[in-house]
């Protein structure tokens, strides 16, 4: 509630009536702040630890833009990033990951206020959280201060912030010891005030103790004036920025164009043309290699493309070869080295994406390690952050690393997530199509006009380029790649590395005189958004003989194969062995498709 | 590979021929060690950071058993827990969570060796990991030492371990600086030796540099003798333990019974009888409250039930009222306070579960925060750790906290995970049935004889107790709760808090003269394991008019509703408002079921 009250006082578009609708249907004041609902809310928070990692992303974005665009005689970007965190945030592993990176990157303009009230939902932090947080942040390379009395010592707070600003090579943590529920005579310093209202009597007692004579939702004029001064400072800063931007634009028109694309989200015209096309004559490759080609094709034409891997760059194939590493001595570069910190990586990407609409951050890891960053990915989807998740090593096809590294249920898991596009391309053209769709959606180029993140799922192993795959077909989510428009006896559906099995099976069945259609389904969500006429033209409702093949869980496929169909997949954990052996042992084969097709037609 | 070589040398059931099968189909030496495949492997690792958290669980289990059972004149449990971790482990947030808890708990017998080789897959750790790890562990309350030359200074290692043992009130970190690929003249100290073999030439060069005259897979007798001495020490320790156990058993027969149940996994006879039954006269409650009843019913009868919540005990309702908190001064107690550390909580529970077959650890958080612990939960399933995951606040029904807190795709996500049972009960009897099934499966009481973890999903809001629900039906996964055996015109399927909607809709449709069956489906996985005859008796294949209702994603439901059926659910994010309002707005209503049933019957 406090955040909404502050936004109201500072003149954001949030009236007293809005505040009264706290946590009600259609309100601008939901239970946890949502960036897409409320003016002035920069990121959606609620799940603990996401906010500090978002802040690291925002501070990194600021450092990047400043280093890339500011000129000695024309400064565009120059601001601090503030973040308020609690005990819970500091217990979550994601916050340590993010803070470790912030320290490594030396993000001197990131200032975090740690509300050390020593109360969480279970009670006093004594029962589970007795580490020395300040010493930990020092070990992570932060500048650390302590304001002992956060309830009264405003001068101390001001001084600490001034000092934090003066330290330019380290992020700053200001531990502020406070009393939770300050002013409440009976509930202060207890978990009773953590998530529940004070109640009528205690509210009255608190008003009395604080000597607060105003009614509910009555704001004294003084308060408006005090906060109005803050708003005025903001307006002045904005005016100064606009003036500086004008100067910059006239002095550095080329740089301005790139900067403006990032700030406005307007992508340079014709960016899609950079994506290459492939024919069967082009060497068959793993889609992770095609992914690298696409990133390196897009990087020079999309100014806001920035990102990297969680210590798997040589496996994920995610380095943009024309750029160097984003490091404390080279913030202008665009390859980010996240270390083995998947969860923070996702949330940092969310911060970058929400910093400016033209940023399209990408992150990368093995698909299995999406398990480490699930909440950050969901927050991308929920908060409409256009992040591209590059996920390689997408199935048992990765082979020897074994079941701890082999995704099974992961495609199902992300297909079920609202507002997340899950794509699994089958060759070069489809990889290009997936990137085209991912960039468009990261840029809100879709029917709803909202940004959507994408999870792009790539193989470790190679497969051939097909003559019938296309960017256009891929962007429709599913399309016919074999058998043409003629009404088939059976439809075989496949994604990714199993597309060749589907086509081979079709050819075998055709040898037996059957009419077979193969449908490639790289993105279910995009297919579901197509007009019914298109969907029915690809999957005619009266063709009930259907087979699907995918080296992952069959969970969810029954929607497409229907009552008479057969879903081929793997509903158990994988094993450690060469990839081709695993395909045989788990029955992900052309022969299995042929047998299933016969069964489904019978 | 090193771990398998050590197990071989120490006399475990792993021959030279097994070693040669490294990473091959059916091998006992998979790419990452799996506890269920290889004798001597205690936990499955591979995903970074899981191992140290498992070790914290193992050390906690040891501390617990020692405090609970050891007597001044009869000691049963007394050992150290060793863990080796690398740079990657220390970058992952989960390791900080686990280490923070280990420090808080003062687990003095936990000794971690940190292989500080400064190389990860992306290259030198300089590019992303420059924090002071030792200082961080000190801040977390650990005793920290440094062995500068881990490649040669064996005396230093021995001394450091001795010193670590002498510090009994803090866990110990021994940072051991090493050279990765030691002995390889051209590849040492580079990421080329991280995951790939040296290659023929470099192997030859390494043999030469190390002056190693033996052939491939040839082990000098000296080595067997050296390691054989270790095995002999182990055998002596085991003999001493057996003798001590005999003494203990005769002196303390009552305590022995409890201890023996934990060590052997034999549950006390009749434990199921502790689970209460309910009738419609019993007050309708939220299933999270029924869950508390079940935990408190089981706690006194199952000696190995131990667990707690990630700082949400008052919301998850997970305190065992007859026990105190597991703390450094009270290791014998059984309520664990994990703090806001979901990921470590899951992995610690895995460590406890794998410590002894009779431990049944449970963990708790809001269902949405399963997103923070996904990999640990998957590791439970993969490594056959019988953990019970208590997940409350299971849908939009939680109301005002809003979409960051409202699960949508989560049921789908866990239903798709192999070897994980996902259960969502609809009242008191079904909650009892879910606990019965969860305990049985945690105890390997199933057809396969393997342990399976369970994700139990409970509501925040209340619902009535039904007259037709039962423990037995619930344990079959799905069963008829309304309409009896007569062939119905339409089948309505539901889980959890939507069961009342299904029954109300049935009554309305019956008013129109329709025959309606309501099937409660608390656990799909258990239902799928039933004989076909049972499955067909519950869901007759020729009844195509079907409706499902569940306040979550419809993803996966098409398998049950079929081509003619309708799945009612929520395939978008929730919102912040009172729960009943959300049910109306998102169309999770009795009327929606009635309309869908009519449509499906048409």
């Amino acid at each position: 509630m406090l955040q909404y009250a502050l936004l109201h006082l500072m003149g954001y578009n949030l009236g007293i009536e809005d505040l009264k609708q706290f946590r009600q249907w259609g309100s601008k004041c939901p239970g946890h702040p949502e960036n897409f609902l409320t003016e002035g809310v920069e990121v959606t928070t609620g799940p603990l630890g996401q906010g500090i990692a978002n802040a690291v992303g925002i501070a990194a974005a600021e450092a990047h833009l400043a280093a890339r665009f500011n000129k000695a005689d024309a400064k565009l970007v120059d601001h601090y990033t503030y973040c308020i965190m609690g005990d819970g945030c500091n217990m979550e592993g994601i916050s340590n990951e993010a803070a470790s990176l912030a320290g490594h990157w030396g993000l001197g303009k990131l200032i975090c206020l740690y509300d050390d009230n020593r109360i969480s939902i279970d009670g006093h932090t004594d029962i589970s959280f007795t580490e020395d947080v300040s010493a930990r942040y020092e070990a992570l390379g932060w500048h650390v201060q302590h304001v002992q009395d956060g309830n009264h010592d405003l001068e101390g707070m001001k001084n600490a912030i001034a000092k934090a600003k003066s330290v330019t090579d380290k992020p700053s943590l200001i531990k502020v010891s406070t009393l939770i529920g300050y002013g409440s005579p009976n509930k202060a310093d207890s978990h009773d005030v953590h998530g529940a209202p004070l109640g009528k009597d205690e509210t009255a007692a608190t008003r009395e103790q604080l000597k607060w004579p105003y009614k509910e939702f009555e704001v004294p004029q003084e308060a408006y004036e005090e906060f109005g001064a803050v708003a005025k400072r903001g307006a002045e800063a904005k005016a100064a920025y606009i003036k500086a931007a004008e100067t910059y634009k006239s002095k550095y028109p080329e740089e301005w164009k790139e900067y403006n694309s990032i700030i406005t989200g307007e992508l340079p015209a014709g960016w899609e043309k950079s994506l290459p096309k492939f024919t069967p004559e082009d060497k068959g490759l793993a889609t992770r290699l095609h992914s690298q080609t696409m990133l390196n094709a897009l990087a020079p034409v999309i100014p806001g493309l920035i990102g990297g891997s969680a210590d798997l760059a040589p496996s994920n194939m995610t380095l943009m070869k024309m750029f160097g590493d984003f490091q404390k001595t080279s913030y202008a570069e665009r390859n980010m080295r996240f270390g083995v910190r998947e969860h923070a990586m996702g949330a940092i990407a969310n911060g970058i994406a929400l910093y400016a609409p033209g940023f399209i951050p990408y992150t990368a890891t093995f698909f299995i390690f999406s398990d480490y960053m699930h909440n950050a990915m969901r927050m991308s989807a929920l908060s409409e952050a256009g992040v591209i998740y590059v996920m390689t090593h997408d199935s048992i096809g990765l082979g020897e690393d074994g079941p701890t590294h082999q995704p099974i249920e992961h495609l199902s898991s992300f297909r079920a997530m609202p507002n997340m596009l899950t794509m699994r391309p089958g060759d070069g053209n489809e990889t290009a199509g997936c990137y085209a769709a991912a960039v468009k959606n990261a840029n809100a180029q879709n029917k709803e006009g909202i940004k959507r993140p994408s999870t792009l799922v790539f193989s470790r192993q190679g497969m051939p380029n097909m003559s019938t795959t296309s960017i256009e077909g891929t962007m429709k989510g599913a399309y016919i790649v074999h058998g043409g428009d003629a009404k088939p006896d059976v439809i075989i559906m496949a994604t990714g590395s199993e597309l060749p099995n589907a086509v081979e099976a079709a050819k075998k069945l055709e040898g037996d005189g059957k009419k077979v259609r193969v449908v490639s389904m790289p993105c279910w969500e995009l297919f579901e958004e197509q007009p019914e006429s298109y969907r029915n033209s690809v999957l005619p409702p009266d063709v009930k003989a259907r087979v699907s093949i995918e080296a992952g869980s069959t969970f969810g496929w029954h929607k497409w194969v229907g009552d008479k169909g057969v879903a081929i997949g793997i509903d158990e954990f994988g094993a450690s062995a060469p990839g081709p052996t695993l395909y045989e042992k788990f029955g992900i084969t052309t022969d299995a498709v042929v047998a299933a097709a016969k069964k489904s037609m019978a």
Side-chain angles (χ1 to χ4, degrees), chain A:
Chain A
M1 189 63 188
L2 180 63
Q3 65 274 35
Y4 301 126
L6 284 170
L7 290 172
H8 168 72
L9 289 168
M10 293 200 214
Y12 283 84
N13 180 20
L14 208 63
I16 285 285
E17 289 310 310
D18 290 315
L19 299 185
K20 289 183 182 168
Q21 289 303 306
F22 184 49
R23 315 212 310 169
Q24 299 307 308
W25 178 259
S27 166
K28 286 195 272 184
C29 302
H32 290 90
E34 315 283 358
N35 62 308
F36 51 92
L37 282 181
T38 317
E39 191 185 292
V41 174
E42 291 159 315
V43 296
T44 292
T45 55
L48 296 176
Q50 298 292 326
I52 165 75
N54 294 160
V56 172
I58 290 170
E62 194 267 350
H64 174 70
L65 290 182
R68 185 165 159 195
F69 294 105
N70 284 352
K71 303 286 181 184
D73 63 345
K75 226 175 192 177
L76 274 174
V77 183
D78 182 15
H79 66 78
Y80 293 92
T81 300
Y82 293 93
C83 169
I84 301 180
M85 60 197 308
D87 289 304
C89 309
N90 273 318
M91 287 190 243
E92 290 286 9
I94 182 177
S95 66
N96 191 71
E97 291 178 8
S100 176
L101 258 181
H104 171 75
W105 283 337
L107 296 172
K109 290 161 86 176
L110 173 62
I111 299 175
C112 294
L113 301 157
Y114 161 33
D115 178 11
D116 164 48
N117 65 31
R118 299 165 309 285
I119 294 293
S120 63
I121 291 176
D122 267 12
H124 200 282
T125 50
D126 273 1
I127 65 171
S128 63
F129 189 51
T130 48
E131 62 173 67
D132 183 341
V133 177
S134 294
R136 173 159 62 88
Y137 274 79
E138 274 170 7
L140 298 176
W142 287 52
H143 175 253
V144 178
Q145 301 174 75
H146 186 192
V147 175
Q148 305 269 357
D149 179 4
N151 290 100
H152 302 99
D153 186 9
L154 294 184
E155 203 53 38
M157 292 284 297
K158 270 189 205 165
N159 292 341
I161 291 171
K163 176 85 200 206
K165 287 181 173 176
S166 75
V167 177
T168 58
D169 60 343
K170 290 177 173 187
S172 275
L173 183 78
I174 305 173
K175 172 168 149 174
V176 184
S177 295
T178 61
L179 197 68
I180 195 170
Y182 174 74
S184 161
N186 304 305
K187 293 192 174 179
D189 201 26
S190 84
H191 70 279
D192 293 337
V193 290
H194 182 107
L198 285 178
K200 205 178 154 190
D201 292 350
E202 188 63 12
T203 301
T206 305
R207 283 169 183 280
E208 196 164 321
Q209 177 159 318
L210 291 173
K211 300 190 180 31
W212 185 259
Y214 307 99
K215 289 193 204 113
E216 265 192 5
F217 291 104
E218 183 188 345
V219 180
Q221 192 52 35
E222 269 176 272
Y224 280 124
E225 279 161 19
E226 189 81 19
F227 282 97
V230 179
K232 191 161 164 271
R233 273 208 321 267
E236 285 163 5
K238 186 173 177 183
Y241 166 77
I242 289 170
K243 208 176 144 196
E246 285 301 325
T247 311
Y248 190 96
K249 187 177 170 181
S250 64
K251 278 191 176 168
Y252 302 100
E254 278 312 303
E255 288 90 335
W256 172 261
K257 235 162 73 183
E258 288 219 334
Y259 174 76
N260 195 51
S261 166
I262 295 174
I263 292 303
T264 62
E266 267 182 58
L267 297 184
W271 62 268
E272 304 98 316
K273 295 193 193 106
S274 66
L275 294 169
K277 290 179 185 168
F278 300 82
T279 69
E281 286 67 47
D282 293 309
K283 194 181 169 198
L285 293 173
T287 47
R288 64 177 169 140
L289 292 165
H290 289 303
S291 166
Q292 181 180 41
T293 302
M294 303 309 149
L295 284 172
N296 278 275
L298 291 170
V301 294
I302 297 185
L305 192 73
I306 181 169
S309 163
D311 193 48
L312 287 170
S315 295
N316 300 142
M317 312 302 293
T318 43
L319 284 182
M320 296 178 284
K321 293 171 184 171
M322 65 294 292
F323 301 123
D325 283 0
F326 174 93
Q327 294 286 2
K328 72 168 94 175
T329 51
S330 54
Y331 289 138
E333 298 293 344
R334 286 158 61 181
N335 285 306
M336 304 186 98
R337 302 285 195 167
F338 291 103
V340 195
R341 302 181 183 98
E342 298 84 4
H343 202 176
M345 174 171 72
I348 287 170
N350 287 338
I352 296 172
L354 295 174
Y355 184 90
F359 269 128
I360 302 184
Y362 67 92
T363 77
T365 183
F366 288 161
F367 191 25
I368 195 84
F369 298 131
S370 61
D371 281 348
Y372 275 70
M373 57 194 300
H374 224 91
N375 195 258
M377 295 175 77
R378 190 177 204 260
M379 293 301 285
S380 305
L382 173 60
S383 63
E384 298 168 15
V387 177
I388 298 178
Y389 289 97
V390 176
M391 297 286 180
T392 72
H393 295 62
D394 67 347
S395 76
I396 53 163
L398 66 88
E400 291 84 348
D401 270 340
T404 53
H405 284 56
Q406 292 163 355
I408 297 290
E409 69 278 21
H410 299 75
L411 286 164
S412 310
S413 193
F414 288 105
R415 285 175 182 150
M417 186 183 280
N419 207 40
M420 171 66 83
L421 299 175
T422 309
M423 309 192 206
R424 185 168 188 251
D427 71 355
N429 290 328
E430 290 202 348
T431 305
C434 288
Y435 268 98
V439 169
K440 277 179 191 281
N441 279 281
N443 198 241
Q445 293 183 39
N446 52 43
K447 218 167 48 185
E448 294 77 17
I450 61 165
K451 291 179 164 220
R452 294 196 288 195
S454 295
T455 298
L456 306 187
V457 178
F458 299 119
S459 68
R460 177 185 181 219
Q461 75 273 31
M463 52 258 202
N465 286 299
M466 291 176 58
S467 62
T468 51
T469 52
S470 69
I471 292 180
E472 300 68 34
T474 302
M475 291 177 70
K476 288 181 179 159
Y479 64 112
I480 302 168
V481 293
H482 180 90
D485 290 339
K487 188 177 165 183
D489 297 319
V490 62
I491 300 172
I492 304 174
M493 292 165 267
T495 75
S497 46
E498 288 69 69
L499 209 46
N501 296 100
V503 174
E504 280 164 35
K507 289 177 181 165
K508 284 198 181 183
L509 290 160
E510 284 160 357
D512 292 346
K514 298 296 177 191
K515 281 181 294 221
V516 187
R517 173 178 294 183
V518 176
V519 172
S520 176
M521 296 193 72
C523 183
W524 295 13
E525 297 91 332
L526 290 175
F527 182 58
E528 283 169 335
E529 291 170 10
Q530 300 303 312
E532 193 180 5
S533 57
Y534 177 75
R535 282 184 280 123
N536 288 347
S537 75
V538 175
L539 299 177
D542 58 340
V543 180
K544 300 286 186 195
R546 299 180 176 197
V547 177
S548 69
I549 178 166
E550 185 173 73
S553 171
T554 60
F555 196 91
W557 273 103
H558 293 86
K559 181 171 184 174
W560 306 114
V561 299
D563 290 353
K564 276 206 71 191
V566 178
I568 297 174
I570 310 167
D571 294 312
E572 62 189 305
F573 289 111
S576 173
T581 306
L582 295 174
Y583 268 74
E584 279 300 316
K585 297 286 184 185
F586 287 101
I588 311 297
T589 63
T590 300
D591 288 349
V593 177
V594 171
K598 286 180 180 167
K599 189 179 156 202
S600 188
M601 282 186 285

